Amino acid sequence: MDKKRLKAEFFLVIVTIIWGGTFAVIKTGLTDSTPLMLLTIRFGASFLLFTLFYFKKFKYLGKSTIINGVILGVLMFLGYAAQTVGLAYTTASRAGFITFTFALFVPFLQVYFLKKKPLLGNIVGLVIVFCGLWIISKPDGGPLNRGDIIMLVAAVAYAFFIIFMDIINKKENPEMMTAIQFLVTAVLSLAASFLFEEPFINLTGEFIFSIVYLVILGSVFCLYMMNLYQKDTTPMRAVLIYSLEPVFGVIFAIILLREAFSSKEIIGSALILCGVLISELWEFLRLGKRR
Protein backbone atom coordinates (compact mmCIF):
# COMPACT_ATOMS: atom_id res chain seq x y z
CA MET A 1 0.00 0.00 0.00
CA ASP A 2 1.09 3.61 -0.60
CA LYS A 3 3.17 4.67 2.44
CA LYS A 4 2.69 8.36 1.65
CA ARG A 5 -1.08 7.94 1.61
CA LEU A 6 -1.03 5.86 4.79
CA LYS A 7 0.98 8.56 6.59
CA ALA A 8 -1.47 11.23 5.40
CA GLU A 9 -4.50 9.21 6.50
CA PHE A 10 -2.89 8.51 9.89
CA PHE A 11 -2.63 12.25 10.57
CA LEU A 12 -6.18 12.81 9.31
CA VAL A 13 -7.35 10.23 11.87
CA ILE A 14 -5.50 12.23 14.57
CA VAL A 15 -7.32 15.34 13.32
CA THR A 16 -10.64 13.51 13.60
CA ILE A 17 -9.88 12.38 17.17
CA ILE A 18 -9.20 15.99 18.19
CA TRP A 19 -12.36 17.15 16.44
CA GLY A 20 -14.30 14.59 18.45
CA GLY A 21 -13.26 16.43 21.59
CA THR A 22 -14.36 19.84 20.29
CA PHE A 23 -18.09 19.07 20.79
CA ALA A 24 -17.72 18.99 24.58
CA VAL A 25 -15.31 21.94 24.55
CA ILE A 26 -17.51 24.18 22.36
CA LYS A 27 -20.52 23.32 24.50
CA THR A 28 -18.58 24.64 27.51
CA GLY A 29 -17.31 27.75 25.68
CA LEU A 30 -20.74 28.82 24.39
CA THR A 31 -21.97 29.41 27.94
CA ASP A 32 -19.65 32.44 28.09
CA SER A 33 -19.80 33.74 24.49
CA THR A 34 -22.11 34.12 21.52
CA PRO A 35 -21.40 31.60 18.72
CA LEU A 36 -20.00 33.93 16.05
CA MET A 37 -17.88 35.83 18.58
CA LEU A 38 -16.47 32.49 19.72
CA LEU A 39 -15.51 31.78 16.10
CA THR A 40 -13.92 35.25 15.85
CA ILE A 41 -11.74 34.71 18.91
CA ARG A 42 -10.91 31.13 17.96
CA PHE A 43 -9.70 31.90 14.45
CA GLY A 44 -8.26 35.33 15.25
CA ALA A 45 -6.07 33.83 17.98
CA SER A 46 -5.22 30.92 15.67
CA PHE A 47 -3.99 33.38 13.02
CA LEU A 48 -1.80 35.23 15.51
CA LEU A 49 -0.33 32.04 16.96
CA PHE A 50 0.27 30.45 13.57
CA THR A 51 1.98 33.52 12.09
CA LEU A 52 4.19 33.73 15.18
CA PHE A 53 5.82 30.46 14.05
CA TYR A 54 5.64 30.91 10.29
CA PHE A 55 5.96 34.68 9.72
CA LYS A 56 9.12 34.12 7.62
CA LYS A 57 6.99 32.24 5.08
CA PHE A 58 5.09 35.43 4.28
CA LYS A 59 7.89 36.58 2.01
CA TYR A 60 6.60 33.97 -0.46
CA LEU A 61 3.12 35.48 -0.36
CA GLY A 62 1.91 36.24 -3.90
CA LYS A 63 -1.33 37.20 -5.61
CA SER A 64 -2.21 33.59 -6.49
CA THR A 65 -1.63 32.45 -2.91
CA ILE A 66 -3.82 35.23 -1.51
CA ILE A 67 -6.67 34.48 -3.94
CA ASN A 68 -6.57 30.73 -3.27
CA GLY A 69 -6.33 31.28 0.49
CA VAL A 70 -9.34 33.63 0.43
CA ILE A 71 -11.36 31.06 -1.55
CA LEU A 72 -10.67 28.38 1.09
CA GLY A 73 -11.21 30.89 3.91
CA VAL A 74 -14.64 31.93 2.61
CA LEU A 75 -15.72 28.29 2.19
CA MET A 76 -14.47 27.46 5.69
CA PHE A 77 -16.32 30.44 7.17
CA LEU A 78 -19.55 29.51 5.37
CA GLY A 79 -19.34 25.97 6.75
CA TYR A 80 -18.61 26.99 10.36
CA ALA A 81 -21.01 29.95 10.42
CA ALA A 82 -23.94 28.12 8.80
CA GLN A 83 -23.47 25.18 11.15
CA THR A 84 -23.35 27.49 14.19
CA VAL A 85 -26.39 29.57 13.18
CA GLY A 86 -28.36 26.51 12.06
CA LEU A 87 -28.02 24.94 15.50
CA ALA A 88 -30.25 27.71 16.86
CA TYR A 89 -33.19 26.48 14.75
CA THR A 90 -32.89 22.69 14.70
CA THR A 91 -31.92 19.82 16.99
CA ALA A 92 -28.32 18.77 17.55
CA SER A 93 -29.01 15.27 16.21
CA ARG A 94 -30.54 16.54 12.97
CA ALA A 95 -27.77 19.13 12.66
CA GLY A 96 -25.04 16.51 12.95
CA PHE A 97 -26.62 14.19 10.43
CA ILE A 98 -27.51 16.89 7.87
CA THR A 99 -24.03 18.44 8.10
CA PHE A 100 -22.43 15.12 7.22
CA THR A 101 -24.50 14.95 4.03
CA PHE A 102 -21.55 16.84 2.53
CA ALA A 103 -20.24 13.30 1.95
CA LEU A 104 -22.99 12.84 -0.65
CA PHE A 105 -21.75 15.81 -2.68
CA VAL A 106 -18.03 14.95 -2.53
CA PRO A 107 -18.05 11.93 -4.95
CA PHE A 108 -19.81 13.97 -7.67
CA LEU A 109 -17.56 17.00 -7.13
CA GLN A 110 -14.54 14.71 -7.15
CA VAL A 111 -15.51 13.29 -10.55
CA TYR A 112 -16.30 16.75 -11.98
CA PHE A 113 -13.32 18.74 -10.68
CA LEU A 114 -10.64 16.07 -10.20
CA LYS A 115 -11.69 13.47 -12.77
CA LYS A 116 -11.33 10.81 -10.05
CA LYS A 117 -13.94 8.07 -9.81
CA PRO A 118 -14.47 6.67 -6.29
CA LEU A 119 -13.88 2.94 -5.84
CA LEU A 120 -16.84 0.65 -5.23
CA GLY A 121 -15.42 0.07 -1.75
CA ASN A 122 -15.59 3.82 -1.05
CA ILE A 123 -19.28 3.90 -1.98
CA VAL A 124 -20.10 0.76 0.04
CA GLY A 125 -18.19 2.18 3.00
CA LEU A 126 -20.05 5.48 2.73
CA VAL A 127 -23.45 3.76 2.77
CA ILE A 128 -22.48 1.77 5.90
CA VAL A 129 -21.14 4.95 7.54
CA PHE A 130 -24.44 6.73 6.87
CA CYS A 131 -26.33 3.87 8.50
CA GLY A 132 -24.11 4.18 11.56
CA LEU A 133 -24.56 7.95 11.73
CA TRP A 134 -28.32 7.55 11.43
CA ILE A 135 -28.39 5.13 14.35
CA ILE A 136 -26.19 7.38 16.52
CA SER A 137 -28.04 10.63 15.77
CA LYS A 138 -31.50 9.20 15.01
CA PRO A 139 -32.79 12.56 13.68
CA ASP A 140 -36.32 13.50 14.71
CA GLY A 141 -39.03 13.19 12.10
CA GLY A 142 -40.91 16.03 10.51
CA PRO A 143 -40.41 18.34 7.52
CA LEU A 144 -37.27 20.37 6.92
CA ASN A 145 -37.19 23.56 8.99
CA ARG A 146 -35.14 26.74 8.60
CA GLY A 147 -32.27 25.30 10.63
CA ASP A 148 -32.13 22.19 8.42
CA ILE A 149 -31.87 24.34 5.28
CA ILE A 150 -29.05 26.35 6.84
CA MET A 151 -27.31 23.08 7.75
CA LEU A 152 -27.54 22.01 4.09
CA VAL A 153 -25.71 25.24 3.19
CA ALA A 154 -22.97 24.20 5.64
CA ALA A 155 -22.82 20.73 4.07
CA VAL A 156 -22.39 22.13 0.55
CA ALA A 157 -19.71 24.56 1.78
CA TYR A 158 -17.78 21.74 3.49
CA ALA A 159 -17.97 19.60 0.33
CA PHE A 160 -16.52 22.36 -1.85
CA PHE A 161 -13.94 23.12 0.87
CA ILE A 162 -12.63 19.53 0.79
CA ILE A 163 -12.47 19.45 -3.02
CA PHE A 164 -10.80 22.85 -3.41
CA MET A 165 -8.37 22.04 -0.60
CA ASP A 166 -7.28 19.00 -2.62
CA ILE A 167 -6.82 21.12 -5.76
CA ILE A 168 -5.19 24.21 -4.24
CA ASN A 169 -2.82 22.63 -1.73
CA LYS A 170 -1.05 20.66 -4.47
CA LYS A 171 0.34 23.94 -5.82
CA GLU A 172 0.37 26.31 -2.83
CA ASN A 173 2.36 26.58 0.40
CA PRO A 174 0.34 24.87 3.19
CA GLU A 175 1.53 27.33 5.86
CA MET A 176 0.31 30.32 3.85
CA MET A 177 -2.97 28.60 3.04
CA THR A 178 -3.58 27.88 6.72
CA ALA A 179 -2.75 31.42 7.86
CA ILE A 180 -4.96 33.09 5.25
CA GLN A 181 -7.88 30.78 6.04
CA PHE A 182 -7.63 31.70 9.74
CA LEU A 183 -7.55 35.43 8.97
CA VAL A 184 -10.44 35.36 6.49
CA THR A 185 -12.62 33.26 8.80
CA ALA A 186 -11.88 35.52 11.78
CA VAL A 187 -12.67 38.74 9.87
CA LEU A 188 -15.90 37.38 8.37
CA SER A 189 -16.98 35.93 11.74
CA LEU A 190 -16.41 39.32 13.42
CA ALA A 191 -18.48 41.11 10.78
CA ALA A 192 -21.26 38.50 11.01
CA SER A 193 -21.22 38.67 14.81
CA PHE A 194 -22.09 42.38 14.84
CA LEU A 195 -24.67 41.89 12.07
CA PHE A 196 -26.54 38.82 13.37
CA GLU A 197 -26.06 38.67 17.15
CA GLU A 198 -25.41 40.78 20.23
CA PRO A 199 -21.83 39.69 20.97
CA PHE A 200 -20.62 39.14 24.52
CA ILE A 201 -17.68 37.42 26.22
CA ASN A 202 -17.15 36.31 29.82
CA LEU A 203 -13.49 35.51 30.51
CA THR A 204 -14.06 32.61 32.88
CA GLY A 205 -11.58 29.79 33.46
CA GLU A 206 -13.80 27.41 31.48
CA PHE A 207 -13.97 29.82 28.53
CA ILE A 208 -10.18 30.28 28.48
CA PHE A 209 -9.69 26.50 28.55
CA SER A 210 -12.13 26.14 25.63
CA ILE A 211 -10.28 28.77 23.58
CA VAL A 212 -6.87 27.22 24.31
CA TYR A 213 -8.10 23.78 23.17
CA LEU A 214 -9.91 25.12 20.10
CA VAL A 215 -7.01 27.34 19.03
CA ILE A 216 -4.00 25.09 19.60
CA LEU A 217 -5.49 21.68 18.83
CA GLY A 218 -8.81 22.22 17.06
CA SER A 219 -7.57 24.92 14.68
CA VAL A 220 -3.80 25.41 14.41
CA PHE A 221 -2.89 21.72 14.50
CA CYS A 222 -5.94 20.26 12.76
CA LEU A 223 -6.29 22.69 9.88
CA TYR A 224 -2.55 22.69 9.25
CA MET A 225 -2.55 18.87 9.10
CA MET A 226 -5.48 19.00 6.65
CA ASN A 227 -3.69 21.50 4.43
CA LEU A 228 -0.48 19.47 4.64
CA TYR A 229 -1.77 15.93 4.19
CA GLN A 230 -5.26 15.79 2.65
CA LYS A 231 -3.79 16.26 -0.83
CA ASP A 232 -1.96 12.92 -0.42
CA THR A 233 -5.21 10.93 -0.32
CA THR A 234 -8.49 11.28 -2.21
CA PRO A 235 -11.33 13.56 -1.06
CA MET A 236 -13.60 10.50 -0.82
CA ARG A 237 -11.23 8.64 1.53
CA ALA A 238 -10.76 11.81 3.58
CA VAL A 239 -14.53 12.15 3.99
CA LEU A 240 -14.80 8.59 5.29
CA ILE A 241 -12.01 9.23 7.79
CA TYR A 242 -13.75 12.41 8.97
CA SER A 243 -16.89 10.32 9.55
CA LEU A 244 -15.14 8.91 12.63
CA GLU A 245 -15.68 12.27 14.34
CA PRO A 246 -19.01 11.34 16.02
CA VAL A 247 -17.46 8.08 17.27
CA PHE A 248 -14.70 9.99 19.04
CA GLY A 249 -17.28 12.60 20.04
CA VAL A 250 -19.22 9.95 21.94
CA ILE A 251 -16.02 8.72 23.62
CA PHE A 252 -15.05 12.24 24.73
CA ALA A 253 -18.61 12.92 25.93
CA ILE A 254 -18.34 9.84 28.17
CA ILE A 255 -14.91 10.84 29.50
CA LEU A 256 -15.39 14.62 29.87
CA LEU A 257 -19.14 15.02 30.36
CA ARG A 258 -19.84 11.67 32.08
CA GLU A 259 -22.55 10.82 29.56
CA ALA A 260 -23.84 7.24 29.37
CA PHE A 261 -22.88 4.99 26.44
CA SER A 262 -26.08 3.47 25.00
CA SER A 263 -26.39 0.30 22.92
CA LYS A 264 -27.54 2.51 20.02
CA GLU A 265 -24.23 4.39 20.11
CA ILE A 266 -22.24 1.15 20.31
CA ILE A 267 -23.98 -0.25 17.21
CA GLY A 268 -23.72 3.02 15.29
CA SER A 269 -20.04 3.46 16.15
CA ALA A 270 -19.30 -0.13 15.11
CA LEU A 271 -20.99 0.43 11.73
CA ILE A 272 -19.01 3.64 11.13
CA LEU A 273 -15.75 1.84 11.94
CA CYS A 274 -16.72 -1.03 9.61
CA GLY A 275 -17.55 1.41 6.80
CA VAL A 276 -14.19 3.17 7.13
CA LEU A 277 -12.29 -0.15 7.27
CA ILE A 278 -14.07 -1.46 4.17
CA SER A 279 -13.12 1.70 2.28
CA GLU A 280 -9.52 1.58 3.52
CA LEU A 281 -8.98 -2.14 2.84
CA TRP A 282 -10.95 -2.47 -0.42
CA GLU A 283 -8.05 -1.60 -2.69
CA PHE A 284 -5.69 -3.85 -0.72
CA LEU A 285 -8.12 -6.81 -0.87
CA ARG A 286 -8.73 -6.21 -4.57
CA LEU A 287 -5.00 -6.27 -5.29
CA GLY A 288 -4.65 -9.41 -3.17
CA LYS A 289 -7.23 -11.23 -5.29
CA ARG A 290 -5.35 -10.39 -8.46
CA ARG A 291 -2.14 -12.02 -7.26
Side-chain angles (χ1 to χ4, degrees):
M1 299 180 75
D2 188 344
K3 290 183 179 180
K4 187 177 182 181
R5 192 191 73 196
L6 286 176
K7 179 182 178 181
E9 292 177 355
F10 169 78
F11 278 102
L12 293 183
V13 169
I14 300 299
V15 165
T16 308
I17 293 172
I18 294 172
W19 278 350
T22 60
F23 285 109
V25 174
I26 290 174
K27 186 175 181 179
T28 302
L30 284 176
T31 60
D32 296 301
S33 174
T34 49
L36 291 171
M37 183 53 64
L38 180 64
L39 288 180
T40 301
I41 297 171
R42 172 181 178 177
F43 289 106
S46 297
F47 172 74
L48 294 175
L49 180 62
F50 197 80
T51 52
L52 182 66
F53 290 100
Y54 294 104
F55 68 94
K56 291 183 179 179
K57 298 277 187 177
F58 277 82
K59 63 183 178 182
Y60 303 112
L61 195 62
K63 183 179 179 181
S64 171
T65 303
I66 293 173
I67 292 173
N68 286 326
V70 169
I71 290 171
L72 290 178
V74 169
L75 289 172
M76 188 170 78
F77 164 74
L78 287 174
Y80 274 99
Q83 187 178 44
T84 303
V85 174
L87 274 167
Y89 303 102
T90 190
T91 64
S93 60
R94 287 177 71 127
F97 187 79
I98 292 171
T99 299
F100 192 74
T101 59
F102 74 84
L104 294 176
F105 302 111
V106 168
F108 300 102
L109 294 176
Q110 177 178 300
V111 172
Y112 182 79
F113 286 103
L114 305 176
K115 311 304 179 186
K116 294 179 181 177
K117 293 183 179 179
L119 296 173
L120 176 60
N122 298 148
I123 302 298
V124 172
L126 182 61
V127 171
I128 296 174
V129 162
F130 259 92
C131 291
L133 285 168
W134 180 269
I135 291 172
I136 285 179
S137 62
K138 198 177 181 181
D140 300 327
L144 288 176
N145 57 44
R146 179 166 55 170
D148 297 335
I149 300 298
I150 296 173
M151 284 297 171
L152 284 174
V153 173
V156 173
Y158 285 139
F160 275 95
F161 178 69
I162 288 173
I163 294 295
F164 277 87
M165 179 177 282
D166 186 86
I167 296 170
I168 291 172
N169 284 332
K170 288 179 179 177
K171 58 184 178 181
E172 296 288 358
N173 180 281
E175 288 81 17
M176 289 301 90
M177 285 297 98
T178 305
I180 296 170
Q181 286 170 65
F182 286 151
L183 180 60
V184 171
T185 304
V187 171
L188 293 177
S189 296
L190 180 62
S193 178
F194 284 101
L195 284 173
F196 300 114
E197 64 186 16
E198 297 181 3
F200 75 88
I201 307 168
N202 292 323
L203 293 178
T204 63
E206 291 81 3
F207 179 76
I208 293 173
F209 170 79
S210 298
I211 289 298
V212 170
Y213 182 97
L214 292 172
V215 169
I216 296 176
L217 293 178
S219 299
V220 171
F221 178 81
C222 285
L223 192 64
Y224 182 43
M225 290 298 103
M226 288 177 67
N227 278 300
L228 195 59
Y229 289 113
Q230 188 183 294
K231 65 181 182 298
D232 294 328
T233 186
T234 66
M236 187 70 185
R237 294 173 75 91
V239 162
L240 286 160
I241 291 171
Y242 298 151
S243 72
L244 292 170
E245 181 181 351
V247 177
F248 294 119
V250 168
I251 294 171
F252 275 101
I254 294 168
I255 296 172
L256 299 178
L257 302 178
R258 306 297 181 184
E259 293 183 359
F261 205 153
S262 67
S263 58
K264 176 183 73 172
E265 288 164 334
I266 293 174
I267 295 170
S269 298
L271 282 173
I272 292 172
L273 288 172
C274 286
V276 173
L277 286 173
I278 287 173
S279 176
E280 285 293 306
L281 298 176
W282 186 272
E283 187 176 3
F284 176 75
L285 294 174
R286 188 179 62 169
L287 290 173
K289 288 180 179 181
R290 291 178 178 177
R291 292 174 183 173

